[in-house]
Amino acid sequence: MSDLPRKAVTRTAKLATLPLGFAGRATWGLGKRIGGKSAEIVTRELQQRTADQLFKVLGELKGGAMKFGQALSVFESALPEEIAGPYRAALTKLQEAAPPMPTRTVHAVLAERLGEEWRDLFLEFEDKPSAAASIGQVHRAVWHDGREVAVKVQYPGAGEALLSDLTQLSRFARLLGPLIPGMDIKPLITELRDRVSEELDYALEAEAQRAHAAEFADDPDVVVPDVVHQGEQVLVTEWMEGVPLAEVISGGTPEQRDRAGQLLARFLFSGPARTGLLHADPHPGNFRLLPPAAGAGEEPAAGVEVGAGGDEGGEGAFRLGVLDFGTVDRLPGGLPDIIGEALRTALEGDAQSVYDRLCEEGFVKGSIDLDPDAVLEYLLPIIEPTAVEEFTFTRSWMREQATRIADPRSPAHQLGKQLNLPPSYLLIHRVTLSTIGVLCQLNATVGLREELTSWLPGFLPEPEPEPEDTGAGGGAAIEADA
């Protein structure tokens, strides 16, 4: 069994330490201010202590609390480095693999879900997991028809633990306000709970992965392994070799970094347009750099050697392999038109149009009144990568944006605290920020405008209607005579 503490009483007791800790730090902060420390320094010290305790508790629980902690990671970039450090360290711990299930537990789950003769389905099965996460682990195997497969096995009791944690966390939502000023936390937790419920359902994950595998089957740039078999708590998919994106981040060539970054952006924007689904877990561990596809009559291409150079694009270029469709956002019409429209009008400098759209969608609450020009000024540096044909994403650029927004003395910080994140945009926001973070880790030069133009609804202005053809000498002659 995994180390998920599944008893509700135990998990609730751990979560109950959060509000007590917050209250204690508030008293401590008041004493500091009375003692003469500036409000700004006290606030940062409070945030640091809050981060330490919050993620310590969430990390111990894993399950739903861990998922909530991972969701909070999208806000990490809005913090100054001295505060982001503790957040980042704690989040890294949260994202590390959970201790594996004992082999006997894995076998018991397989026997229960695939039948007592489950071994007959495989020619080979590796008992040692190749990967482990918050709600399950993956084993490498060979299916009975000879295909190499990945077998995802859900931890027994993971579902109950996940949903119990998120129910408890929703009760403490107001106490998390100091971490994310201006955000309406409770509906975000409700939305997160709904998405996590879907992640537990391997039938939904299989459906999403099949849709992507079918759509990208002949794509020259993106590879999605197909689903081989799906059962409750067990999912079998084709195994995919390739270099993990994390290795490209740590040791890839400039060509590999740029190519990986371009394809990551292409998949982010094209996926919803082509499948009606947004892959909502853009963690480097869910992507692989694959060799070019073999042409007709050719031998399969050799593996990718990180750091050995590579094609910059076009025919024969590296491809992006995509894994894990457990968390997706269902967007039947693709990404919302308002995103492209707001982005386009912001680049055009139309502050009022941008502001009106943000108000319509709930990014600005009805009780808040902001200056449209100030909102545009707040947004323009963030959307800089979309204003040029190519943009080089760097950690320093990300830090610059984070510092500008997080500095309590800056107008951007004061304005940002008054903006809201509508629950329906939770996953879109998470994916966008996480993808930008990965692009900055890659230090990739990416043509983002190319992808927006091809795939983002509303980014291109509506074409002007062509004048009706009135026939030779028809309407024009009558008008002239008049």
Side-chain angles (χ1 to χ4, degrees):
M1 184 59 60
S2 74
D3 70 341
L4 283 172
R6 290 184 291 150
K7 290 184 180 178
V9 173
T10 303
R11 303 178 71 80
T12 301
K14 284 181 176 290
L15 286 165
T17 66
L18 292 176
L20 293 174
F22 292 169
R25 277 189 299 283
T27 304
W28 172 85
L30 178 61
K32 286 284 187 181
R33 281 194 289 274
I34 292 173
K37 272 200 172 185
S38 74
E40 180 185 336
I41 293 174
V42 171
T43 297
R44 290 189 178 186
E45 289 178 350
L46 280 170
Q47 283 184 314
Q48 186 162 335
R49 289 178 176 227
T50 299
D52 288 343
Q53 188 199 1
L54 176 65
F55 293 122
K56 178 177 183 292
V57 172
L58 298 183
E60 287 174 354
L61 290 171
K62 301 204 168 53
M66 176 178 172
K67 284 294 177 187
F68 180 73
Q70 290 172 336
L72 285 179
S73 68
V74 302
F75 303 105
E76 180 216 358
S77 60
L79 296 168
E81 183 58 32
E82 60 267 30
I83 299 300
Y87 277 81
R88 190 179 301 114
L91 285 164
T92 298
K93 292 176 183 176
L94 284 177
Q95 291 167 343
E96 287 176 353
M101 285 185 281
T103 299
R104 65 181 181 278
T105 305
V106 176
H107 291 178
V109 173
L110 292 172
E112 181 181 355
R113 301 304 178 186
L114 300 181
E116 291 296 332
E117 307 302 320
W118 65 270
R119 285 191 178 278
D120 292 344
L121 296 172
F122 302 96
L123 298 179
E124 298 176 20
F125 184 89
E126 295 184 8
D127 286 335
K128 183 179 179 181
S130 58
S134 58
I135 65 170
Q137 61 191 40
V138 177
H139 294 258
R140 189 169 184 170
V142 178
W143 196 240
H144 58 79
D145 62 5
R147 281 182 290 176
E148 285 194 272
V149 294
V151 184
K152 183 185 286 191
V153 182
Q154 194 174 115
Y155 298 138
E160 295 92 329
L162 276 161
L163 301 179
S164 171
D165 290 348
L166 290 168
T167 298
Q168 294 297 329
L169 281 166
S170 66
R171 298 175 185 175
F172 306 141
R174 62 184 179 82
L175 297 163
L176 301 177
L179 283 178
I180 315 169
M183 289 291 176
D184 197 352
I185 300 293
K186 195 160 187 176
L188 289 181
I189 295 179
T190 300
E191 175 70 12
L192 180 64
R193 190 181 192 279
D194 292 343
R195 299 289 77 78
V196 166
S197 298
E198 292 182 0
E199 187 173 351
L200 290 165
D201 189 338
Y202 281 179
L204 289 175
E205 178 172 350
E207 179 185 315
Q209 185 157 342
R210 284 193 181 102
H212 280 85
E215 176 60 37
F216 288 92
D218 299 316
D219 194 277
D221 300 322
V222 175
V223 180
V224 177
D226 207 351
V227 175
V228 175
H229 179 84
Q230 175 263 315
E232 189 178 352
Q233 294 185 313
V234 177
L235 180 63
V236 183
T237 62
E238 293 173 336
W239 183 268
M240 185 166 65
E241 287 288 358
V243 176
L245 196 60
E247 292 186 22
V248 180
I249 289 172
S250 63
T253 65
E255 293 82 9
Q256 289 169 337
R257 293 170 182 274
D258 292 349
R259 176 68 175 165
Q262 189 73 43
L263 295 187
L264 194 61
R266 184 165 302 163
F267 179 69
L268 165 63
F269 290 106
S270 70
R274 296 172 64 174
T275 67
L277 300 167
L278 173 67
H279 182 288
D281 193 10
H283 185 275
N286 287 336
F287 298 97
R288 301 282 185 271
L289 198 61
L290 305 177
E298 295 179 10
E299 291 293 320
V304 177
E305 184 180 347
V306 170
D311 200 328
E312 295 183 10
E315 188 177 351
F318 298 135
R319 298 172 296 162
L320 184 73
V322 185
L323 301 169
D324 197 345
F325 292 82
T327 305
V328 298
D329 202 358
R330 286 165 174 77
L331 304 167
L335 290 164
D337 289 8
I338 189 174
I339 297 176
E341 292 168 1
L343 190 53
R344 170 173 53 81
T345 51
L347 293 174
E348 292 169 353
D350 188 345
Q352 190 61 52
S353 291
V354 174
Y355 185 68
D356 289 344
R357 284 170 170 79
L358 294 179
C359 291
E360 289 168 16
E361 289 297 295
F363 288 95
V364 181
K365 296 179 183 177
S367 58
I368 302 288
D369 187 23
L370 300 175
D371 176 10
D373 289 322
V375 173
L376 181 60
E377 186 178 346
Y378 171 88
L379 293 173
L380 283 176
I382 303 171
I383 64 173
E384 180 186 1
T386 69
V388 292
E389 292 304 316
E390 286 190 332
F391 184 83
T392 301
F393 290 85
T394 64
R395 286 182 170 90
S396 61
W397 175 79
M398 176 67 97
R399 282 196 297 270
E400 182 183 336
Q401 300 310 313
T403 301
R404 180 180 70 90
I405 295 171
D407 186 346
R409 299 164 297 183
S410 74
H413 177 80
Q414 298 305 318
L415 189 147
K417 286 198 301 183
Q418 300 178 78
L419 297 176
N420 182 50
L421 178 62
S424 61
Y425 284 86
L426 173 65
L427 290 184
I428 295 173
H429 183 70
R430 172 185 174 181
V431 170
T432 303
L433 283 187
S434 299
T435 302
I436 290 173
V438 174
L439 294 178
C440 290
Q441 290 177 320
L442 282 166
N443 196 39
T445 298
V446 175
L448 202 56
R449 282 186 68 89
E450 174 187 347
E451 309 305 336
L452 298 177
T453 300
S454 300
W455 304 109
L456 184 61
F459 184 69
L460 289 180
E462 291 292 327
E464 292 289 335
E466 294 186 8
E468 292 185 15
D469 185 2
T470 56
I478 294 172
E479 192 173 325
D481 290 342

